[in-house]
Each structure stands twice: as structure tokens, then as C-alpha cells.
Amino acid sequence: MKTGIAFLLLLTGAFCGCAAAGKYRERVLLLSSCDLLLQRISALLSLENLPTAQLFSRLKDMPEFSALPFVKKTADRLSASRDFPSVFHKSLQEGCGALTAEDLAVLDRLSDLVGSYDLSAQLAGIESIRALLALQSEDARSRAKRDGHLVRSLCVLGGIAAAVLAL
Amino acid sequence: MDVAYETAVRQLPPKIRELLLLFPQDKQQVVREVSMRAGKPLTLTTGEGIRFASGNGAFSAFPPPASDILTAQEIGDCLRFLTEYSLHSFEESLCRGYLTVRGGHRAGISGTGVHKDQSISHVRDVSSISLRIARQIRGVSRGLVQSLYGTGETPSVLIVGAPASGKTTVLRDLVRSLANGEAGRYVRVSVIDERGELGAALHGTAQHDLGVTSDLFDGFYKAEGMQMALRAMAPDVIAVDELGGAADAQAVRSVQNGGAAILATAHAGSIEGAYQREGIGALLREGAFDRIVLLNGADSPGTVRAVQSIGIPSARKTVFA
């Protein structure tokens, strides 16, 4: 009985450690998807010159952005309102998984950019946001490596300690 | 509520939109154009002249207080709202000085032109926007359709009139009527819409009703558009607004050699005045047109003063109903 409980506590500790570390990894993946999103926006604007509502309607259907809920929300809201800055800002404010407030603030620069300037200015602005996002990605990777390992180790050790105490 | 007025002003930013929606229906119906200028008050072009919005649902003959002056930022916001935050999609038409918005309305713009390779590459610092409210009037050409096309023939027709006499409105309705079978059969009409006024296409979709069997060539220069329509769509009729000089006249000749009839408009205050115009006059003397329709002036827009047959009507097209 005690062995079973100890084993359970050990597993719980390991699971919590992995979940906590997973959040850091998730942020890295989401930021990578966001960079891909910006590249795709640039490409679609350059090649097809799509109106903003159609642009997001196209992006919504791409499976690579299914993990970015604000893309679908923006597309759905733009079918009713064409006020892109308000719509995109609101969609971002509703959160996106492990992205931090700082990450979302960088993405929010798109709300004042897309559709508000001529094409070349928008493309230049998107590159500028990508550069900022790259800094966030770098921060996310280093945190995943440093803090992710630390959190996982602490949780596993906590599980071991709890198991020992239970025994 | 005037539907055309409402669909136009609802595309403006909230502050301006709410001011304009204060007007009762009788006031809305007389507004032809809403003009917004940076550093100046909002003005309305009505049937009675220029008026100002007084803020309580009434027109004012005098400018409002200084606090109601529009700022450059507000003009920028207007442009972004009118383009549905898709300025990049409207760059080409902005270089031509106008954009077509949802509902078929047209917004003329002025600002600072940026030159590249001796042409305007884009417009920045837009300082004025004039939103012209489009009101498609269906049925204005009902009598004309029957008298011109009701016998089964498809003549080439020139509609002339003074500015603001309703030439474009009559032309648009004739196209709609022909392409909807109101002449007793469906007529294939290719519409060459150089200035975007006939179809008012937005992202490729005509905002005005041009009928079932019409094809819209939006933004094409008249001469090239007529040639392309003839080659591509085999139309019975090619409709074109505001025929001008020699190049347009030559295009008309080659189109007619290709077997299509022309339905066109031109500026002239009288039939005699049309004969004196370069290009148009030559076409009339050559018998390129079978009928000439003269409209009444701006005081009675869209009404016909006279229809004249020019020589013997050519049996270019006879369709058995």
C-alpha cells in the first residue's frame, strides 16, 4: 500500500515536472508558428494583394495556424466588422496558450499595420515585427532550456521526496 | 432611412457616421456627396447647394464652430475605414484619384502624389475625401429600351447630354435592361468601365446591377477594353461611357467591323454640338451610330429630350424572338 502511494507520488511529481517544462516548449512552438504566420501574411499580400478580411479567411483555413486561436477569431469577427485594428486586438487579448503578455504585445503591432499603409510599408513593418518576434523566440528557447530543466528537476525531486516520506 | 445614404455613411468612422445618421430621411435623400477635408468642416453637396452638418440633424448654410473641424488623423481614419483596412488592395485606384466602396459608392481623394518612373506610384497624406452617394435608378430607361431595341434590331446608340444630365445613369439602366431581357430577348453586353462608375466593382464584384448577361471590364482603358471584349466575349453590344477623342473613335470603328453594336455616351449639350466634337463628330458623319439620344439637362436628369435616327438603320443584328 505504502509502496503504491509512494510510486503514485513519484509519478505525479514527474508528470507535473514535464507539464511545467512543456509550457516553456509550447511557447517556443507558438512563437515559431507566429513567425510562419507573418511570413505567410507577407507572401499573400505580395502575391495576391488580398483585402484584409479575405487574407485572414485564407489563413484561418491553414492547418499550420490551428494552434493560434486569434487567427480564427479575427477571421470570424472580420466577417461582421471590417475594423481590423479593434478586431485583431480583441482576439489577441483573449490569450493564446503559453504566449506571454510581451509576446502578444509584439503581435499586437500588426493591428496598426495590416491594411493601414501601402504594400511596401506593410511588408517592411512585418519584417520589423518578425525581428522583434525573433528576440522573443530567443528568450523562449533559453528559458525552455534553463527554467524548463529546472522546473522539471524540481518537480521530479519533489515527487521523490514525497515518495520517500510516504514510505 | 435612405438605403443608399445609409450604406454609404456606415462605412465612415464612428464619429462622422453618427453625425451623418442624425439627419432625417428627407434630408438624407437630397445629399449627393459628403466631403471631408483636413482642417476644414464636413460639407454636404445637396440639390440646393453646399451645406454643413450642424450636429442636430439639420443642415446649416454656414460652417459650424471651430471644434467641429476634421483633423488629418480623422481623414486618415476615413480612408482606412472606406478601404476596410485594406489600403494595399486599393493602391492602383488611389493613384487614379478614387476608390469604389461597398454599395457602389465612389470616394474621390486628393493628397500628395509620389512619383516613380514619371507616373504616380502612390498617394500619401490624403487630405480630402469626397464620398459620392450612388443611387442606381432602375427603370429610368424603360421607354428607351422598347423604342431602341424592342423591334428585334440592335442598333448602335449614342447618348449625349450636358454634365449632370444623367448619361451614366441612363446607360447603366439600358445595360441592365438589355442584359435582363427587357427588350424581348437577352442581349450579351460587354461593359467597358474605365472609371469604375458603371459597375462600381469592388474586389471584382459589380456593386451595381448590370443584368444577367453582362460582362464587366473594370478599369480597362476604353480602346483596349473594347478590343478585348470583342475578342473574348463575343458581345452583341459593347457599352462604354464618355467616348472621347480619336483613339476612342478608332476603337469604335474596329469594334463595329467585328460585328458588335455600340452603346455609348458623350458630352454634348445638343445633337448639333455632338457633330462638332472631334472623334464623335466623325463617327456620326460616317454613320457609325444608328440612333442619337439627347437627354435633358441637369434640372431634369435622366429624362429624354429627343431620339434621332441617323440615316437608314443598319441591319447589323436581327434577333428572332
Side-chain angles (χ1 to χ4, degrees):
Chain A
M1 177 75 168
K2 280 187 180 177
T3 311
I5 292 171
F7 185 68
L8 213 62
L9 285 169
L10 183 66
L11 276 179
T12 305
F15 178 77
C16 290
C18 289
K23 276 285 181 191
Y24 291 96
R25 280 197 305 276
E26 186 192 347
R27 185 183 170 215
V28 172
L29 290 172
L30 285 174
L31 285 169
S32 175
S33 295
C34 289
D35 182 63
L36 183 61
L37 175 71
L38 294 177
Q39 288 181 59
R40 201 58 61 82
I41 290 175
S42 273
L44 286 172
L45 286 176
S46 300
L47 294 172
E48 299 186 48
N49 218 0
L50 291 175
T52 303
Q54 282 185 36
L55 171 69
F56 273 83
S57 178
R58 189 82 70 86
L59 292 169
K60 174 183 90 167
D61 293 333
M62 295 179 181
E64 54 267 43
F65 306 128
S66 56
L68 304 175
F70 59 85
V71 174
K72 184 179 184 307
K73 286 178 186 175
T74 302
D76 292 341
R77 286 176 172 143
L78 283 178
S79 62
S81 164
R82 299 290 202 240
D83 185 357
F84 173 74
S86 305
V87 162
F88 189 71
H89 179 76
K90 184 177 176 185
S91 301
L92 274 182
Q93 289 308 302
E94 289 168 3
C96 178
L99 289 181
T100 65
E102 223 174 83
D103 299 334
L104 295 175
V106 169
L107 287 170
D108 203 18
R109 289 169 179 245
L110 272 178
S111 62
D112 287 331
L113 176 67
V114 174
S116 291
Y117 301 95
D118 60 79
L119 181 62
S120 55
Q122 286 187 56
L123 296 177
I126 289 171
E127 286 308 305
S128 155
I129 294 173
R130 283 189 68 204
L132 290 171
L133 217 56
L135 295 175
Q136 298 299 111
S137 288
E138 187 53 44
D139 174 68
R141 275 191 292 272
S142 69
R143 278 178 186 259
K145 193 174 178 183
R146 188 187 68 229
D147 299 343
H149 284 160
L150 180 65
V151 165
R152 186 167 50 229
S153 302
L154 282 174
C155 287
V156 169
L157 282 171
I160 292 171
V164 166
L165 285 171
L167 287 171
Chain B
M1 188 69 72
D2 183 287
V3 173
Y5 178 90
E6 190 180 345
T7 57
V9 305
R10 281 202 179 279
Q11 296 181 75
L12 295 169
K15 181 185 162 192
I16 298 174
R17 177 200 316 157
E18 276 147 27
L19 177 68
L20 292 171
L21 287 176
L22 284 175
F23 295 126
Q25 186 171 352
D26 60 329
K27 292 268 187 284
Q28 291 178 7
Q29 284 171 341
V30 301
V31 174
R32 294 179 191 164
E33 206 164 309
V34 177
S35 298
M36 295 149 284
R37 300 178 177 91
K40 295 169 192 177
L42 188 144
T43 62
L44 307 160
T45 303
T46 72
E48 296 150 0
I50 301 292
R51 294 289 181 268
F52 300 90
S54 65
N56 59 358
F59 290 159
S60 164
F62 304 99
S67 58
D68 290 341
I69 300 297
L70 294 168
T71 63
Q73 173 68 33
E74 285 170 324
I75 300 299
D77 288 342
C78 277
L79 186 65
R80 285 183 274 276
F81 264 80
L82 286 170
T83 58
E84 298 180 348
Y85 281 90
S86 302
L87 211 65
H88 50 276
S89 296
F90 290 85
E91 276 186 55
E92 203 173 316
S93 72
L94 284 172
C95 287
R96 292 200 290 256
Y98 69 88
L99 54 99
T100 302
V101 302
R102 205 165 289 279
H105 312 290
R106 256 167 80 102
I109 61 117
S110 71
T112 303
V114 177
H115 290 260
K116 187 178 177 184
D117 298 331
Q118 297 185 327
S119 64
I120 301 285
S121 63
H122 67 274
V123 178
R124 63 177 173 85
D125 300 332
V126 170
S127 55
S128 305
I129 301 174
S130 266
L131 179 61
R132 187 184 305 171
I133 297 168
R135 293 181 169 94
Q136 182 174 12
I137 305 171
R138 288 181 174 79
V140 70
S141 68
R142 190 169 292 126
L144 264 182
V145 167
Q146 292 306 317
S147 67
L148 294 171
Y149 302 95
T151 58
E153 288 188 323
T154 311
S156 283
V157 176
L158 179 68
I159 302 168
V160 300
S165 57
K167 297 185 296 296
T168 302
T169 302
V170 169
L171 176 65
R172 186 187 300 122
D173 199 56
L174 270 173
V175 168
R176 183 197 60 78
S177 298
L178 289 172
N180 274 344
E182 292 179 19
R185 78 275 186 199
Y186 286 91
V187 178
R188 292 175 60 149
V189 185
S190 286
V191 181
I192 314 305
D193 198 4
E194 184 176 304
R195 297 173 311 158
E197 285 191 321
L198 287 170
L202 179 67
H203 306 314
T205 304
Q207 302 292 293
H208 291 311
D209 179 9
L210 295 178
V212 172
T213 55
S214 65
D215 303 301
L216 180 64
F217 288 76
D218 177 57
F220 281 78
Y221 293 125
K222 287 191 278 286
E224 285 90 346
M226 285 193 259
Q227 292 294 338
M228 182 173 280
L230 192 67
R231 284 194 301 268
M233 306 309 287
D236 300 314
V237 171
I238 294 181
V240 58
D241 200 14
E242 303 236 358
L243 278 184
D248 290 349
Q250 190 52 39
V252 168
R253 290 185 190 98
S254 59
V255 156
Q256 290 181 322
N257 287 339
I262 290 285
L263 173 59
T265 68
H267 278 303
S270 63
I271 293 177
E272 294 73 28
Y275 274 90
Q276 287 163 11
R277 284 203 53 193
E278 183 195 349
I280 303 293
L283 287 174
L284 287 168
R285 285 185 290 276
E286 290 164 18
F289 292 101
D290 305 305
R291 306 278 191 284
I292 183 166
V293 177
L294 175 65
L295 300 183
N296 283 312
D299 54 347
S300 185
T303 57
V304 175
R305 186 187 302 175
V307 179
Q308 188 178 89
S309 291
I310 302 173
I312 300 170
S314 59
R316 190 172 297 108
K317 284 271 187 194
T318 301
V319 177
F320 296 97

